[in-house]
Amino acid sequence: MTELHIGIAAIVCMLAGIYFGMHIGIALIATSFVSVWLIKSPEVAARFVAASANDAIRDYLFGVIPLFVLMGMLVSVSGVGRDTFDVFQWLMRRIRGGLGLATVAANAVFAAITGISIASASVFTKVAVPEMIRHGYTPRFSVGVVAGSSVLGMLIPPSLLMIIYGVLAEESIGRMFIAGIIPGALLALGFCVLIVGMAWLVPHKVGTPEALAGMGAGIEETPLTAAIKFVPILLLITLVLGGLYAGFFTPTEAGAVGAAGALVIALVRGRLTWRKLWQVLVETGFVSVSVLFLIIAAMLYSRMLALTGMPSAVTEGITHMGLGPWGFLFMYVLIVIALGCIIDSVSIMLIMLPIVLPIARAFGMDVVWFGVITVVAVEIGLLTPPFGVSVYTVKSALNDPRITVRDIFAGSFPFVLMMVVVLFILAAFPGLSTWLAYL
């Protein structure tokens, strides 16, 4: 077998392992180790694994992962999600579809201080879905709004997927964060347009006139109480993203400042007991270790592919096929969306990026723009059957036997279509992703 054949066999074996239930990190490490063993020797393979593990996460930059995860966990327990929804519900109480709009807006704000879609889906399922159903929204539409808008957490900074992409592409994480601001806002706007459109086209799904008329009656909110609830959130967003954008903080420092700010908010609100603090720290550890382990595995996998010559061979093959940059991008997005139906977002990026990034660079594509396209395409997989992590998170948090997984997938489908539209817009106008990043 040639080195290229070993590389192809490694990818096939790795995908087979994942399909039959092997953990993605173990599959990447095992196939990479065996491939290097076959190409070189067992001793070289052992040193290869050790060197990759050491090089992968020794930089202090990787402190950004546990710090932003900690910030997100603290924000979740402090009741910020509930307060954010209350504020936007009050602001949009006179608009038909206002509760849906409030859910999207609250999810966008929540995403700017957590970066984890699962957290958004869990929080707003409990907060927003009962309110929407109570005001005449159909259950399918209600859960669809929450599941659809929860994906904003993976695009609006700080985003865990942006961090992973920045590491794999060796691109500035701060720049990736900033690049996600306009696309994230565009996607949130697209969701709002979709909800307003559905309120006019299929009004029976988006609340009854009687419920809409009485919506403001149950909201005991004033400008002062709304400001008291929203100002701490706004200050935290300004502190983290403003500090990053102005260059006051590195991404790691921004994560530390954000975590400290979230801790202060949780303490001031009296929501953080010793028991909850311990749970937050343990969950932060679990998430951080999982992500860092995957990064180590991805680094080993990437180096193994480079050793086999796979990326250069694929680049040459794509070039000879005459697809061109747009044909390559179209095929790549289709493959990512298809993979999203069977495996999770992080796994898709770990498998695909070591292969496609050299091709994107060979075509002269901007790596930051390509990252935004990748994250949006990967996000679509959060809502597509049969995998759909956000859908299953909503189902788990809702715990209502009357609303099935099928209902949530069906309710999310219009949001999937809107994400596809936004993806085309971002592909056609790269400046939407790169303008702020290169200022």
Side-chain angles (χ1 to χ4, degrees):
M1 291 178 71
T2 65
E3 294 177 353
L4 183 59
H5 289 152
I6 292 173
I8 295 171
I11 293 175
V12 172
C13 291
M14 181 263 298
L15 292 174
I18 294 171
Y19 179 79
F20 287 109
M22 184 180 288
H23 186 276
I24 174 67
I26 300 297
L28 289 171
I29 291 174
T31 54
S32 300
F33 176 78
V34 172
S35 299
V36 177
W37 183 339
L38 294 174
I39 294 171
K40 298 293 185 181
S41 69
E43 294 78 14
V44 172
R47 292 199 298 271
F48 192 80
V49 172
S52 295
N54 179 63
D55 295 343
I57 58 172
R58 67 179 179 178
D59 197 308
Y60 98 103
L61 175 66
F62 290 97
V64 73
I65 293 173
L67 289 170
F68 273 118
V69 172
L70 176 60
M71 181 177 71
M73 296 295 180
L74 287 169
V75 164
S76 294
V77 302
S78 66
V80 164
R82 169 88 243 186
D83 289 348
T84 306
F85 178 76
D86 286 345
V87 171
F88 282 108
Q89 181 185 0
W90 174 70
L91 288 173
M92 300 178 183
R93 64 192 183 278
R94 302 295 183 190
I95 305 173
R96 187 166 183 80
L99 279 176
L101 299 178
T103 304
V104 173
N107 246 317
V109 172
F110 196 70
I113 44 179
T114 58
I116 306 172
S117 289
I118 292 176
S120 298
S122 178
V123 168
F124 290 103
T125 296
K126 297 172 183 176
V127 169
V129 171
E131 279 293 303
M132 283 191 275
I133 292 176
R134 187 167 68 86
H135 285 93
Y137 289 65
T138 63
R140 181 173 288 188
F141 179 83
S142 302
V143 292
V145 170
V146 172
S149 57
S150 70
V151 302
L152 293 169
M154 288 302 185
L155 188 59
I156 295 176
S159 159
L160 199 57
L161 285 186
M162 287 292 196
I163 294 173
I164 293 171
Y165 180 86
V167 170
L168 296 177
E170 298 181 351
E171 181 57 70
S172 163
I173 292 175
R175 183 172 290 163
M176 291 307 306
F177 279 173
I178 294 168
I181 294 174
I182 293 178
L186 179 64
L187 186 58
L189 178 62
F191 288 162
C192 290
V193 169
L194 174 65
I195 291 169
V196 172
M198 291 183 72
W200 286 100
L201 296 175
V202 282
H204 62 282
K205 292 186 177 183
V206 191
T208 62
E210 296 78 12
L212 181 66
M215 218 175 111
I219 304 175
E220 298 177 1
E221 207 73 74
T222 65
L224 178 60
T225 58
I228 291 172
K229 287 182 176 181
F230 197 66
V231 165
I233 308 162
L234 189 61
L235 287 176
L236 188 59
I237 295 172
T238 304
L239 185 65
V240 175
L241 298 185
L244 263 176
Y245 187 76
F248 294 144
F249 309 136
T250 64
T252 306
E253 291 165 349
V257 170
L263 178 62
V264 170
I265 291 174
L267 289 172
V268 169
R269 295 187 173 198
R271 306 286 178 87
L272 194 64
T273 62
W274 284 110
R275 182 180 179 84
K276 283 186 177 179
L277 179 60
W278 176 250
Q279 290 174 345
V280 163
L281 294 176
V282 170
E283 288 180 22
T284 299
F286 280 144
V287 173
S288 301
V289 169
S290 299
V291 173
L292 291 170
F293 178 70
L294 288 172
I295 289 174
I296 292 173
M299 181 69 74
L300 180 60
Y301 169 70
S302 179
R303 291 186 175 187
M304 180 275 293
L305 287 180
L307 190 64
T308 64
M310 171 71 72
S312 57
V314 173
T315 303
E316 187 176 344
I318 292 287
T319 304
H320 286 162
M321 286 173 64
L323 289 177
W326 292 108
F328 156 71
L329 186 65
F330 181 73
M331 292 300 297
Y332 168 64
V333 168
L334 284 183
I335 291 171
V336 168
I337 293 175
L339 286 175
C341 295
I342 53 174
I343 57 177
D344 65 278
S345 305
V346 175
S347 300
I348 294 170
M349 295 179 73
L350 297 179
I351 293 168
M352 292 296 296
L353 289 176
I355 299 172
V356 300
L357 277 171
I359 303 172
R361 289 190 173 102
F363 279 126
M365 295 180 175
D366 186 278
V367 176
V368 172
W369 166 73
F370 189 76
V372 172
I373 295 295
T374 297
V375 170
V376 175
V378 164
E379 279 183 322
I380 294 174
L382 295 173
L383 301 174
T384 50
F387 198 79
V389 174
S390 286
V391 170
Y392 286 101
T393 302
V394 170
K395 175 60 179 172
S396 176
L398 192 60
N399 196 25
D400 186 344
R402 295 172 299 175
I403 300 177
T404 65
V405 170
R406 183 178 179 181
D407 289 329
I408 305 173
F409 276 121
S412 305
F413 183 68
F415 294 88
V416 171
L417 295 180
M418 180 54 69
M419 291 178 73
V420 173
V421 171
V422 170
L423 185 63
F424 274 109
I425 293 172
L426 294 173
F429 302 98
L432 293 172
S433 305
T434 59
W435 177 60
L436 284 180
Y438 292 113
L439 275 181

